Amino acid sequence: MQTLRRLAQNREAARKSRMRKKAYVQQLESSRLKLTQLEQELQRARQQGFFIAGGYSGDQSHSMSGNGALAFDMEYARWLDEQHRQTNDLRSAVNSHAGDNELRLLVDGVMAHYEEIFRLKSIAAKSDVFHMVSGMWKTPAERCFMWMGGFRPSELLKILIPYLEPLTEQQLMGICNLQESSQQAEDALSQGMEALQQSLAETLASGSLSTPGPSANVANYMGQMAMAMGKLGTLENFVHQADNLRQQTLQQMHRILTTRQAARGLLAISDYFSRLRALSSLWLARPKQ
């Protein structure tokens, strides 16, 4: 009796399995037909000039942005090598108690070198802003502390203060005011970025559940993409503003400090990021169990 019951259960399970498989195949076929139909509508839309920015294909855009990202990564590698050389020269001068004039030349050289990386980032952001925001040219440990494609100025000032002492009361007040203003600017930019992400998500989600005809689908889709592209264009502005804040913070710090203090501060910044890169190398080389 139990054997018969089991056989009946097995037959019923097999029947249900066949029905599910048949329904799944039908669903796949229906999806394929809808996809083919949508592709035909999109092709007609391309021919009618609906596509944004002159109708560049995704492959072309990816190729262009990919080349821009690769070019920046190569430039950054060269920039890093030059920074290493400049840091060694500055460290030797500090350790040998070089005069202020020699130190000033070296400090100005390092500051000009930072100006160069901000210039390179500005150019690269026009090509691939997502690459700049993600910080993929940096090591994993550096990316862990990234904010909008770079360091947080207020956090960097916290790290630097112990290396700058002794500070006069006026200098300490200047550094504290700089840290506070940097924090406020960071908060404003972060809130703006969150608002952009929320607005972009709402734009992409709007109307996604409606089921009008194919032509209306294409028109709605292109309208959504046009709105999203317009909003996404502001992302580059956020990256520029964040880099401007980093640049201004370094310049303000330079003005507040003496030449020798600025030299120690620049060495501390270089050492900090060098340790983060070393930490990444150690982490990637750790024994895997």
Side-chain angles (χ1 to χ4, degrees):
M1 196 69 175
Q2 290 180 352
T3 302
L4 292 175
R5 190 180 299 113
R6 279 198 301 272
L7 289 172
Q9 289 174 346
N10 289 342
R11 282 194 296 271
E12 180 64 15
R15 185 183 69 83
K16 289 181 178 180
S17 177
R18 287 193 298 272
M19 289 178 64
R20 285 196 299 269
K21 183 177 180 181
K22 183 178 179 181
Y24 178 64
V25 170
Q26 289 174 343
Q27 184 181 8
L28 286 177
E29 180 62 19
S30 176
S31 298
R32 186 187 68 79
L33 291 174
K34 287 180 181 178
L35 180 59
T36 300
Q37 188 179 42
L38 181 58
E39 285 176 344
Q40 291 171 349
E41 293 291 336
L42 288 174
Q43 182 63 32
R44 281 195 288 272
R46 285 193 187 97
Q47 294 170 355
Q48 294 169 19
F50 284 161
F51 265 72
I52 304 166
Y56 287 124
S57 72
D59 288 343
Q60 286 174 318
S61 299
H62 178 74
S63 175
M64 290 170 64
S65 66
N67 289 339
L70 179 61
F72 174 78
D73 289 357
M74 294 172 65
E75 289 291 339
Y76 178 72
R78 285 193 284 267
W79 182 90
L80 209 57
D81 287 340
E82 176 61 18
Q83 188 198 39
H84 181 67
R85 185 192 67 76
Q86 290 186 350
T87 299
N88 287 340
D89 290 345
L90 185 59
R91 195 185 311 278
S92 297
V94 169
N95 291 340
S96 63
H97 305 288
D100 283 352
N101 289 336
E102 181 182 348
L103 269 185
R104 188 175 296 110
L105 287 174
L106 292 171
V107 166
D108 289 346
V110 174
M111 291 296 295
H113 195 54
Y114 274 110
E115 300 284 333
E116 175 66 9
I117 193 60
F118 291 127
R119 185 188 69 81
L120 292 172
K121 288 179 69 178
S122 177
I123 295 171
K126 290 179 172 61
S127 174
D128 189 349
V129 68
F130 293 109
H131 187 72
M132 306 314 296
V133 171
S134 66
M136 293 306 294
W137 71 92
K138 288 185 171 287
T139 60
E142 288 177 289
R143 291 200 299 271
C144 183
F145 296 95
M146 282 191 72
W147 169 79
M148 289 195 186
F151 60 84
R152 279 185 178 270
S154 61
E155 292 297 324
L156 199 64
L157 288 173
K158 289 179 186 178
I159 294 169
L160 285 181
I161 288 177
Y163 295 93
L164 305 176
E165 295 173 345
L167 292 166
T168 66
E169 185 175 342
Q170 185 177 1
Q171 285 178 321
L172 184 58
M173 184 177 298
I175 292 291
C176 289
N177 289 339
L178 179 59
Q179 185 177 349
E180 184 178 353
S181 63
S182 296
Q183 181 69 64
Q184 291 171 352
E186 290 167 19
D187 291 344
L189 284 174
S190 294
Q191 289 170 11
M193 178 68 87
E194 289 174 7
L196 171 62
Q197 291 172 333
Q198 180 65 29
S199 176
L200 191 60
E202 290 171 357
T203 298
L204 294 175
S206 64
S208 59
L209 299 180
S210 60
T211 54
S215 297
N217 264 336
V218 173
N220 290 339
Y221 175 80
M222 298 313 302
Q224 280 181 306
M225 290 299 103
M227 289 180 62
M229 287 288 287
K231 292 179 179 180
L232 201 56
T234 61
L235 182 59
E236 187 180 329
N237 293 332
F238 278 106
V239 174
H240 287 321
Q241 291 181 59
D243 271 348
N244 285 337
L245 178 60
R246 286 184 268 267
Q247 192 171 5
Q248 291 169 15
T249 301
L250 286 173
Q251 291 170 348
Q252 283 291 102
M253 182 195 75
H254 186 205
R255 282 192 282 269
I256 292 171
L257 302 175
T258 66
T259 300
R260 203 161 295 274
Q261 286 171 328
R264 294 205 307 270
L266 290 171
L267 288 175
I269 293 173
S270 178
D271 288 346
Y272 174 71
F273 288 111
S274 177
R275 287 168 189 151
L276 279 177
R277 290 191 293 272
L279 180 62
S280 281
S281 298
L282 291 172
W283 174 255
L284 293 174
R286 74 192 188 283
K288 310 294 194 300
Q289 293 183 350

Short mmCIF file of all heavy atoms in Angstrom, two decimals, residues 82-98 103 106-107 110-111 114 156 159-160 162-164 250 253 257-277:
data_model
loop_
_atom_site.label_atom_id
_atom_site.label_comp_id
_atom_site.label_asym_id
_atom_site.label_seq_id
_atom_site.Cartn_x
_atom_site.Cartn_y
_atom_site.Cartn_z
N GLU A 82 57.05 60.36 -9.52
CA GLU A 82 57.64 61.68 -9.32
C GLU A 82 57.42 62.17 -7.88
O GLU A 82 58.30 62.78 -7.28
CB GLU A 82 57.03 62.68 -10.31
CG GLU A 82 57.49 64.13 -10.14
CD GLU A 82 59.00 64.32 -10.32
OE1 GLU A 82 59.65 63.43 -10.90
OE2 GLU A 82 59.52 65.36 -9.87
N GLN A 83 56.26 61.87 -7.33
CA GLN A 83 56.00 62.25 -5.94
C GLN A 83 56.97 61.53 -5.00
O GLN A 83 57.46 62.13 -4.03
CB GLN A 83 54.57 61.91 -5.53
CG GLN A 83 54.21 62.46 -4.15
CD GLN A 83 52.99 61.81 -3.54
OE1 GLN A 83 52.79 60.59 -3.68
NE2 GLN A 83 52.16 62.60 -2.88
N HIS A 84 57.25 60.28 -5.28
CA HIS A 84 58.20 59.52 -4.46
C HIS A 84 59.58 60.17 -4.50
O HIS A 84 60.24 60.31 -3.46
CB HIS A 84 58.27 58.08 -4.98
CG HIS A 84 59.19 57.19 -4.20
ND1 HIS A 84 58.95 56.82 -2.89
CD2 HIS A 84 60.38 56.61 -4.54
CE1 HIS A 84 59.93 56.05 -2.46
NE2 HIS A 84 60.81 55.92 -3.44
N ARG A 85 59.99 60.59 -5.68
CA ARG A 85 61.30 61.25 -5.82
C ARG A 85 61.31 62.58 -5.05
O ARG A 85 62.27 62.87 -4.31
CB ARG A 85 61.61 61.50 -7.30
CG ARG A 85 63.00 62.07 -7.54
CD ARG A 85 63.16 62.57 -8.96
NE ARG A 85 62.32 63.73 -9.23
CZ ARG A 85 62.61 64.97 -8.79
NH1 ARG A 85 63.69 65.19 -8.07
NH2 ARG A 85 61.81 65.97 -9.08
N GLN A 86 60.26 63.37 -5.21
CA GLN A 86 60.19 64.66 -4.52
C GLN A 86 60.15 64.48 -3.00
O GLN A 86 60.77 65.25 -2.26
CB GLN A 86 58.97 65.45 -4.98
CG GLN A 86 59.04 65.96 -6.39
CD GLN A 86 57.86 66.86 -6.74
OE1 GLN A 86 56.90 66.95 -5.99
NE2 GLN A 86 57.94 67.52 -7.88
N THR A 87 59.43 63.47 -2.55
CA THR A 87 59.35 63.21 -1.10
C THR A 87 60.71 62.84 -0.54
O THR A 87 61.08 63.29 0.55
CB THR A 87 58.33 62.08 -0.83
OG1 THR A 87 57.04 62.49 -1.30
CG2 THR A 87 58.24 61.78 0.66
N ASN A 88 61.46 62.03 -1.26
CA ASN A 88 62.81 61.67 -0.80
C ASN A 88 63.71 62.89 -0.71
O ASN A 88 64.48 63.04 0.25
CB ASN A 88 63.42 60.63 -1.75
CG ASN A 88 62.80 59.26 -1.58
OD1 ASN A 88 62.19 58.96 -0.56
ND2 ASN A 88 62.95 58.41 -2.59
N ASP A 89 63.61 63.78 -1.70
CA ASP A 89 64.42 65.01 -1.68
C ASP A 89 64.02 65.89 -0.49
O ASP A 89 64.88 66.45 0.20
CB ASP A 89 64.24 65.80 -2.98
CG ASP A 89 64.88 65.10 -4.17
OD1 ASP A 89 65.69 64.17 -3.95
OD2 ASP A 89 64.56 65.47 -5.33
N LEU A 90 62.73 66.01 -0.26
CA LEU A 90 62.24 66.84 0.85
C LEU A 90 62.65 66.24 2.19
O LEU A 90 63.07 66.97 3.10
CB LEU A 90 60.72 66.96 0.76
CG LEU A 90 60.04 67.89 1.78
CD1 LEU A 90 60.56 69.31 1.66
CD2 LEU A 90 58.52 67.86 1.59
N ARG A 91 62.57 64.94 2.32
CA ARG A 91 62.95 64.28 3.57
C ARG A 91 64.45 64.47 3.85
O ARG A 91 64.84 64.74 5.00
CB ARG A 91 62.61 62.79 3.51
CG ARG A 91 62.62 62.11 4.90
CD ARG A 91 62.39 60.62 4.78
NE ARG A 91 61.25 60.30 3.94
CZ ARG A 91 59.97 60.32 4.37
NH1 ARG A 91 59.70 60.67 5.62
NH2 ARG A 91 59.00 60.01 3.54
N SER A 92 65.25 64.34 2.82
CA SER A 92 66.69 64.54 3.00
C SER A 92 66.99 65.96 3.44
O SER A 92 67.84 66.19 4.33
CB SER A 92 67.43 64.24 1.68
OG SER A 92 67.27 62.89 1.31
N ALA A 93 66.28 66.92 2.87
CA ALA A 93 66.50 68.32 3.23
C ALA A 93 66.09 68.59 4.67
O ALA A 93 66.78 69.30 5.41
CB ALA A 93 65.73 69.23 2.28
N VAL A 94 64.97 68.02 5.10
CA VAL A 94 64.50 68.21 6.48
C VAL A 94 65.47 67.56 7.46
O VAL A 94 65.85 68.14 8.48
CB VAL A 94 63.08 67.63 6.65
CG1 VAL A 94 62.69 67.58 8.14
CG2 VAL A 94 62.06 68.46 5.87
N ASN A 95 65.89 66.34 7.14
CA ASN A 95 66.80 65.62 8.05
C ASN A 95 68.18 66.26 8.15
O ASN A 95 68.86 66.16 9.18
CB ASN A 95 66.95 64.16 7.59
CG ASN A 95 65.66 63.37 7.79
OD1 ASN A 95 64.79 63.74 8.57
ND2 ASN A 95 65.52 62.26 7.06
N SER A 96 68.59 66.94 7.08
CA SER A 96 69.91 67.59 7.09
C SER A 96 69.83 69.05 7.53
O SER A 96 70.83 69.77 7.45
CB SER A 96 70.54 67.52 5.69
OG SER A 96 69.75 68.23 4.76
N HIS A 97 68.63 69.45 8.00
CA HIS A 97 68.42 70.83 8.51
C HIS A 97 68.80 71.87 7.45
O HIS A 97 69.52 72.84 7.73
CB HIS A 97 69.22 71.06 9.80
CG HIS A 97 68.91 70.05 10.86
ND1 HIS A 97 67.73 70.02 11.55
CD2 HIS A 97 69.65 68.98 11.33
CE1 HIS A 97 67.74 69.01 12.42
NE2 HIS A 97 68.89 68.37 12.31
N ALA A 98 68.29 71.64 6.24
CA ALA A 98 68.57 72.58 5.15
C ALA A 98 67.95 73.94 5.47
O ALA A 98 67.02 74.06 6.28
CB ALA A 98 67.99 72.04 3.85
N LEU A 103 64.38 74.65 1.47
CA LEU A 103 63.14 73.97 1.83
C LEU A 103 61.95 74.55 1.08
O LEU A 103 61.07 73.83 0.63
CB LEU A 103 62.90 74.08 3.34
CG LEU A 103 63.46 72.97 4.23
CD1 LEU A 103 63.00 73.19 5.67
CD2 LEU A 103 63.01 71.60 3.75
N LEU A 106 61.64 73.24 -2.39
CA LEU A 106 61.17 71.86 -2.41
C LEU A 106 59.68 71.77 -2.06
O LEU A 106 58.93 71.02 -2.69
CB LEU A 106 61.99 71.02 -1.43
CG LEU A 106 63.46 70.80 -1.83
CD1 LEU A 106 64.24 70.15 -0.69
CD2 LEU A 106 63.56 69.94 -3.09
N VAL A 107 59.25 72.54 -1.06
CA VAL A 107 57.84 72.55 -0.67
C VAL A 107 56.98 73.08 -1.81
O VAL A 107 55.93 72.51 -2.14
CB VAL A 107 57.63 73.41 0.60
CG1 VAL A 107 56.15 73.70 0.82
CG2 VAL A 107 58.20 72.69 1.82
N VAL A 110 56.53 70.36 -4.38
CA VAL A 110 55.55 69.34 -3.99
C VAL A 110 54.13 69.88 -4.16
O VAL A 110 53.23 69.18 -4.65
CB VAL A 110 55.79 68.88 -2.54
CG1 VAL A 110 54.68 67.93 -2.10
CG2 VAL A 110 57.15 68.18 -2.43
N MET A 111 53.91 71.13 -3.75
CA MET A 111 52.59 71.74 -3.89
C MET A 111 52.19 71.83 -5.37
O MET A 111 51.04 71.55 -5.72
CB MET A 111 52.58 73.13 -3.25
CG MET A 111 52.69 73.12 -1.74
SD MET A 111 51.27 72.34 -0.91
CE MET A 111 49.97 73.48 -1.37
N TYR A 114 51.00 68.50 -6.57
CA TYR A 114 49.61 68.22 -6.21
C TYR A 114 48.66 68.94 -7.16
O TYR A 114 47.60 68.41 -7.53
CB TYR A 114 49.32 68.65 -4.76
CG TYR A 114 49.66 67.57 -3.75
CD1 TYR A 114 50.74 67.71 -2.89
CD2 TYR A 114 48.89 66.41 -3.65
CE1 TYR A 114 51.06 66.73 -1.96
CE2 TYR A 114 49.21 65.42 -2.73
CZ TYR A 114 50.29 65.59 -1.89
OH TYR A 114 50.60 64.60 -0.98
N LEU A 156 42.21 64.49 6.91
CA LEU A 156 43.65 64.61 6.70
C LEU A 156 44.26 65.62 7.68
O LEU A 156 45.36 65.42 8.19
CB LEU A 156 43.95 65.02 5.26
CG LEU A 156 45.38 64.77 4.77
CD1 LEU A 156 45.67 63.28 4.76
CD2 LEU A 156 45.58 65.34 3.38
N ILE A 159 44.93 64.05 11.00
CA ILE A 159 46.13 63.22 10.98
C ILE A 159 47.39 64.07 11.08
O ILE A 159 48.38 63.69 11.71
CB ILE A 159 46.15 62.37 9.69
CG1 ILE A 159 44.99 61.36 9.70
CG2 ILE A 159 47.47 61.64 9.52
CD1 ILE A 159 44.76 60.66 8.38
N LEU A 160 47.35 65.26 10.46
CA LEU A 160 48.55 66.09 10.34
C LEU A 160 48.93 66.83 11.62
O LEU A 160 50.12 67.07 11.86
CB LEU A 160 48.35 67.13 9.23
CG LEU A 160 48.43 66.62 7.80
CD1 LEU A 160 48.23 67.78 6.83
CD2 LEU A 160 49.77 65.96 7.55
N PRO A 162 49.45 66.40 14.82
CA PRO A 162 50.57 65.99 15.69
C PRO A 162 51.95 66.21 15.05
O PRO A 162 52.93 66.42 15.75
CB PRO A 162 50.32 64.49 15.92
CG PRO A 162 48.87 64.31 15.68
CD PRO A 162 48.51 65.28 14.61
N TYR A 163 52.02 66.18 13.70
CA TYR A 163 53.30 66.35 13.02
C TYR A 163 53.67 67.83 12.85
O TYR A 163 54.81 68.13 12.49
CB TYR A 163 53.25 65.69 11.63
CG TYR A 163 53.08 64.19 11.68
CD1 TYR A 163 51.82 63.61 11.62
CD2 TYR A 163 54.18 63.35 11.79
CE1 TYR A 163 51.66 62.23 11.67
CE2 TYR A 163 54.03 61.98 11.84
CZ TYR A 163 52.77 61.42 11.79
OH TYR A 163 52.61 60.06 11.83
N LEU A 164 52.73 68.72 13.12
CA LEU A 164 52.97 70.14 12.90
C LEU A 164 53.39 70.87 14.17
O LEU A 164 53.82 72.03 14.12
CB LEU A 164 51.70 70.81 12.34
CG LEU A 164 51.13 70.19 11.06
CD1 LEU A 164 49.84 70.89 10.66
CD2 LEU A 164 52.15 70.25 9.93
N LEU A 250 44.74 72.21 1.06
CA LEU A 250 46.21 72.13 1.02
C LEU A 250 46.84 73.52 0.92
O LEU A 250 47.84 73.82 1.59
CB LEU A 250 46.66 71.25 -0.15
CG LEU A 250 46.46 69.74 -0.01
CD1 LEU A 250 46.79 69.04 -1.32
CD2 LEU A 250 47.31 69.18 1.12
N MET A 253 46.44 75.35 4.27
CA MET A 253 47.37 74.78 5.24
C MET A 253 48.78 75.32 4.99
O MET A 253 49.49 75.69 5.93
CB MET A 253 47.37 73.25 5.12
CG MET A 253 48.27 72.54 6.12
SD MET A 253 48.57 70.82 5.68
CE MET A 253 49.73 71.02 4.32
N LEU A 257 51.10 77.62 7.82
CA LEU A 257 52.30 77.04 8.43
C LEU A 257 53.57 77.75 7.98
O LEU A 257 53.60 78.43 6.95
CB LEU A 257 52.39 75.56 8.05
CG LEU A 257 51.20 74.68 8.46
CD1 LEU A 257 51.39 73.27 7.91
CD2 LEU A 257 51.01 74.67 9.96
N THR A 258 54.60 77.55 8.76
CA THR A 258 55.93 77.98 8.34
C THR A 258 56.43 77.01 7.27
O THR A 258 55.85 75.92 7.08
CB THR A 258 56.91 77.98 9.51
OG1 THR A 258 57.11 76.62 9.95
CG2 THR A 258 56.40 78.82 10.68
N THR A 259 57.51 77.37 6.61
CA THR A 259 58.06 76.50 5.56
C THR A 259 58.44 75.14 6.13
O THR A 259 58.17 74.09 5.54
CB THR A 259 59.28 77.16 4.92
OG1 THR A 259 58.90 78.40 4.33
CG2 THR A 259 59.89 76.26 3.84
N ARG A 260 59.08 75.14 7.29
CA ARG A 260 59.53 73.88 7.88
C ARG A 260 58.34 73.03 8.34
O ARG A 260 58.34 71.80 8.19
CB ARG A 260 60.48 74.16 9.05
CG ARG A 260 61.43 73.01 9.39
CD ARG A 260 62.62 73.51 10.20
NE ARG A 260 63.45 74.43 9.42
CZ ARG A 260 64.42 74.03 8.61
NH1 ARG A 260 64.69 72.74 8.47
NH2 ARG A 260 65.13 74.91 7.95
N GLN A 261 57.31 73.67 8.89
CA GLN A 261 56.11 72.94 9.28
C GLN A 261 55.40 72.37 8.05
O GLN A 261 54.94 71.22 8.08
CB GLN A 261 55.15 73.86 10.04
CG GLN A 261 55.60 74.20 11.46
CD GLN A 261 54.72 75.28 12.08
OE1 GLN A 261 54.20 76.16 11.39
NE2 GLN A 261 54.56 75.22 13.39
N ALA A 262 55.33 73.15 7.00
CA ALA A 262 54.70 72.67 5.76
C ALA A 262 55.45 71.47 5.21
O ALA A 262 54.84 70.51 4.72
CB ALA A 262 54.65 73.80 4.73
N ALA A 263 56.77 71.50 5.30
CA ALA A 263 57.58 70.37 4.83
C ALA A 263 57.25 69.12 5.63
O ALA A 263 57.05 68.03 5.06
CB ALA A 263 59.06 70.70 4.95
N ARG A 264 57.16 69.26 6.97
CA ARG A 264 56.82 68.11 7.80
C ARG A 264 55.41 67.61 7.49
O ARG A 264 55.14 66.41 7.49
CB ARG A 264 56.95 68.47 9.29
CG ARG A 264 58.37 68.76 9.74
CD ARG A 264 58.55 68.50 11.24
NE ARG A 264 57.55 69.20 12.05
CZ ARG A 264 57.70 70.44 12.55
NH1 ARG A 264 58.81 71.12 12.29
NH2 ARG A 264 56.76 70.99 13.28
N GLY A 265 54.50 68.55 7.25
CA GLY A 265 53.13 68.16 6.94
C GLY A 265 53.03 67.40 5.63
O GLY A 265 52.33 66.37 5.54
N LEU A 266 53.73 67.86 4.61
CA LEU A 266 53.71 67.18 3.31
C LEU A 266 54.34 65.79 3.40
O LEU A 266 53.89 64.84 2.75
CB LEU A 266 54.42 68.02 2.26
CG LEU A 266 53.68 69.31 1.85
CD1 LEU A 266 54.57 70.19 0.98
CD2 LEU A 266 52.38 68.98 1.13
N LEU A 267 55.39 65.68 4.22
CA LEU A 267 56.00 64.36 4.43
C LEU A 267 55.03 63.43 5.13
O LEU A 267 54.94 62.24 4.79
CB LEU A 267 57.29 64.50 5.24
CG LEU A 267 58.49 65.12 4.54
CD1 LEU A 267 59.65 65.30 5.51
CD2 LEU A 267 58.92 64.26 3.34
N ALA A 268 54.29 63.96 6.11
CA ALA A 268 53.32 63.14 6.83
C ALA A 268 52.21 62.65 5.90
O ALA A 268 51.77 61.50 5.98
CB ALA A 268 52.72 63.93 7.99
N ILE A 269 51.75 63.52 5.00
CA ILE A 269 50.72 63.12 4.03
C ILE A 269 51.23 62.01 3.13
O ILE A 269 50.57 60.98 2.91
CB ILE A 269 50.29 64.33 3.17
CG1 ILE A 269 49.56 65.36 4.02
CG2 ILE A 269 49.40 63.88 2.01
CD1 ILE A 269 49.25 66.66 3.29
N SER A 270 52.44 62.19 2.60
CA SER A 270 53.03 61.19 1.72
C SER A 270 53.21 59.86 2.45
O SER A 270 52.91 58.79 1.91
CB SER A 270 54.37 61.69 1.19
OG SER A 270 54.98 60.72 0.37
N ASP A 271 53.70 59.91 3.69
CA ASP A 271 53.91 58.69 4.46
C ASP A 271 52.60 57.96 4.75
O ASP A 271 52.54 56.73 4.72
CB ASP A 271 54.62 59.02 5.78
CG ASP A 271 56.08 59.40 5.59
OD1 ASP A 271 56.60 59.16 4.48
OD2 ASP A 271 56.69 59.95 6.53
N TYR A 272 51.57 58.74 5.04
CA TYR A 272 50.25 58.14 5.36
C TYR A 272 49.73 57.32 4.17
O TYR A 272 49.34 56.16 4.32
CB TYR A 272 49.27 59.24 5.73
CG TYR A 272 47.85 58.75 5.92
CD1 TYR A 272 47.50 57.98 7.03
CD2 TYR A 272 46.85 59.06 4.99
CE1 TYR A 272 46.19 57.52 7.20
CE2 TYR A 272 45.56 58.60 5.16
CZ TYR A 272 45.23 57.84 6.26
OH TYR A 272 43.94 57.39 6.43
N PHE A 273 49.75 57.92 2.98
CA PHE A 273 49.24 57.21 1.81
C PHE A 273 50.18 56.08 1.38
O PHE A 273 49.74 55.06 0.85
CB PHE A 273 49.00 58.19 0.66
CG PHE A 273 47.80 59.08 0.88
CD1 PHE A 273 47.96 60.43 1.11
CD2 PHE A 273 46.53 58.55 0.90
CE1 PHE A 273 46.86 61.25 1.33
CE2 PHE A 273 45.42 59.35 1.12
CZ PHE A 273 45.58 60.70 1.33
N SER A 274 51.47 56.26 1.65
CA SER A 274 52.42 55.19 1.36
C SER A 274 52.13 53.97 2.24
O SER A 274 52.20 52.82 1.78
CB SER A 274 53.84 55.70 1.59
OG SER A 274 54.78 54.66 1.37
N ARG A 275 51.79 54.22 3.50
CA ARG A 275 51.46 53.11 4.41
C ARG A 275 50.17 52.42 4.00
O ARG A 275 50.04 51.19 4.14
CB ARG A 275 51.37 53.64 5.85
CG ARG A 275 52.72 53.98 6.45
CD ARG A 275 52.57 54.75 7.73
NE ARG A 275 53.86 55.27 8.19
CZ ARG A 275 53.99 56.37 8.90
NH1 ARG A 275 52.93 57.08 9.24
NH2 ARG A 275 55.19 56.77 9.29
N LEU A 276 49.21 53.20 3.50
CA LEU A 276 47.97 52.59 3.03
C LEU A 276 48.25 51.66 1.84
O LEU A 276 47.69 50.57 1.74
CB LEU A 276 46.96 53.67 2.62
CG LEU A 276 46.15 54.33 3.73
CD1 LEU A 276 45.25 55.42 3.16
CD2 LEU A 276 45.32 53.31 4.49
N ARG A 277 49.12 52.12 0.94
CA ARG A 277 49.48 51.27 -0.21
C ARG A 277 50.22 50.02 0.25
O ARG A 277 49.99 48.93 -0.28
CB ARG A 277 50.32 52.06 -1.21
CG ARG A 277 49.54 53.15 -1.94
CD ARG A 277 50.32 53.73 -3.10
NE ARG A 277 51.49 54.49 -2.67
CZ ARG A 277 51.47 55.78 -2.37
NH1 ARG A 277 50.34 56.47 -2.43
NH2 ARG A 277 52.57 56.41 -2.01
#
